Amino acid sequence: MPALHSCPVVSNEQVTAQVFRLTVRAPRLATEAAPGQFVNVKVWEGPVPLWRRPFSVYSVDRDAGLVGLLFAVRGTGTRLLAGATPGDTLDVLGPLGRAFAPPPEERQPLLVAGGLGVAPVHFLAQEMSAQGLHPMVLLGARDAAALCALDDLARLPVVLHLATEDGSRGFKGPVTELLATVLTDFHHNGVAVYACGPVGMLREVTRICTAKRVWGQICLETLMACGIGACMGCAVPTHATSAGPNYKLVCKDGPVFDVRELDLER
Ligand SMILES: Cc1cc2nc3c(=O)[nH]c(=O)nc-3n(C[C@H](O)[C@H](O)[C@H](O)COP(=O)(O)OP(=O)(O)OC[C@H]3O[C@@H](n4cnc5c(N)ncnc54)[C@H](O)[C@@H]3O)c2cc1C
Ligand code: FES
């Protein structure tokens, strides 16, 4: 059940020029959060910015009661969050949203992350590893300097493949091209794809999974306001029916969706 948590900041490290890894003490959240779910953080004590800011759960340490977030500085809210230090306390609402589903029986989990989409993918890899599954992780970014979470992923028993658009590390090209290549090694019934990243990347993952009839789930990180299903600000179109187009809310119905649910082409 989502709840408000008063979370002391344990650490806030800068991992690249724009990206920070924030760890807070939140024992109940650490116990309850599942991969794909997010938290809504109040980044300032005053009225501005008005809305909380959503972040996927990046990691949990249930024994120590710690929750990690990985975030990029984009605007006012994340700039404020980058300034959080041990001694500060953050007001965090969560866990929110629909989590990733377990892979159907016997399927090889194939986790695909683009840019900061690595946040929920890392938590998923952490959980699957703890359950004795052996996920393969495809991690993509613009260039080698923008690859995040490599150190944390390297500590997990996962098979990690990298892709950079400029070819400075790993496969040269978008991570979706690497996905299409890797999928040729699997029968469509043998694999479960989980992806998070920019919408363009998720559109391509959807196309690939649909064309190959592969089971897949995508995690959308669109713009949000209320984060709890009240403002309709995060509606995304589903496939049209005879009654016309339908919509789902990323904050309430997602952020995780089956690849067959949404119409990202619209
Ligand atoms: C479910 C969910 C999970 C998310 N998880 C993460 C995460 O793990 N790590 C992370 O770094 N970010 C994540 N985001 C995005 C994050 O919420 C935004 O980057 C943040 O709210 C920006 O706040 P701001 O005040 O700094 O920027 P603002 O001042 O509000 O906006 C600055 C710029 O960033 C753009 N922006 C704002 N929100 C988003 C967004 N959701 N996607 C793309 N561009 C955006 C705005 O259009 C604007 O151009 C997630 C979003 C959602 C909905
Ligand atoms: S953000 Fe308000 S309904 Fe989803």
Side-chain angles (χ1 to χ4, degrees):
M1 275 293 286
L4 273 177
H5 306 266
S6 190
C7 305
V9 173
V10 173
S11 62
N12 195 9
E13 311 150 70
Q14 186 163 8
V15 293
T16 72
Q18 293 298 319
V19 177
F20 287 74
R21 184 170 35 206
L22 172 76
T23 304
V24 296
R25 188 168 303 285
R28 188 172 152 203
L29 196 53
T31 307
E32 292 181 357
Q37 287 190 300
F38 65 98
V39 292
N40 240 352
V41 181
K42 194 170 188 309
V43 285
W44 190 244
E45 299 209 344
V48 180
L50 175 64
W51 297 109
R52 290 167 176 271
R53 296 298 193 256
F55 299 97
S56 298
V57 176
Y58 170 67
S59 61
V60 300
D61 180 337
R62 296 203 166 99
D63 294 337
L66 302 178
V67 172
L69 307 181
L70 188 76
F71 70 93
V73 175
R74 297 210 195 277
T76 319
T78 44
R79 206 170 305 121
L80 288 167
L81 203 56
T85 53
D88 293 342
T89 299
L90 292 172
D91 176 331
V92 177
L93 175 67
L96 296 168
R98 184 158 79 141
F100 288 113
E105 200 82 344
E106 305 282 314
R107 292 189 190 220
Q108 166 66 41
L110 200 52
L111 281 44
V112 191
L116 262 289
V118 71
V121 165
H122 171 267
F123 184 18
L124 183 61
Q126 202 187 24
E127 287 286 276
M128 284 184 166
S129 303
Q131 290 162 9
L133 298 170
H134 296 100
M136 184 183 286
V137 180
L138 313 183
L139 174 62
R142 198 178 50 251
D143 54 35
L147 285 166
C148 291
L150 277 180
D151 52 349
D152 287 333
L153 282 167
R155 280 188 216 110
L156 297 175
V158 300
V159 177
L160 180 62
H161 293 283
L162 305 178
T164 53
E165 279 166 38
D166 69 352
S168 49
R169 186 111 187 245
F171 177 87
K172 182 170 192 248
V175 71
T176 46
E177 222 170 280
L178 179 59
L179 169 67
T181 310
V182 168
L183 278 178
T184 58
D185 295 338
F186 293 91
H187 184 267
H188 67 86
N189 280 334
V191 67
V193 169
Y194 298 86
C196 187
V199 173
M201 174 200 140
L202 298 181
R203 194 177 291 130
E204 190 55 25
V205 169
T206 299
R207 273 192 210 123
I208 293 169
C209 289
T210 309
K212 294 184 183 284
R213 290 184 293 130
V214 166
W215 186 99
Q217 293 203 317
I218 52 174
C219 179
L220 245 65
E221 297 187 339
T222 51
L223 289 176
M224 266 186 202
C226 75
I228 52 167
C231 72
M232 308 292 147
C234 62
V236 279
T238 60
H239 292 289
T241 60
S242 53
N246 287 319
Y247 290 88
K248 289 208 167 177
L249 297 177
V250 175
C251 65
K252 202 162 148 251
D253 303 318
V256 172
F257 295 93
D258 188 279
V259 285
R260 290 163 305 183
E261 274 183 281
L262 302 181
D263 183 359
L264 296 178
E265 305 288 342
R266 267 200 270 163

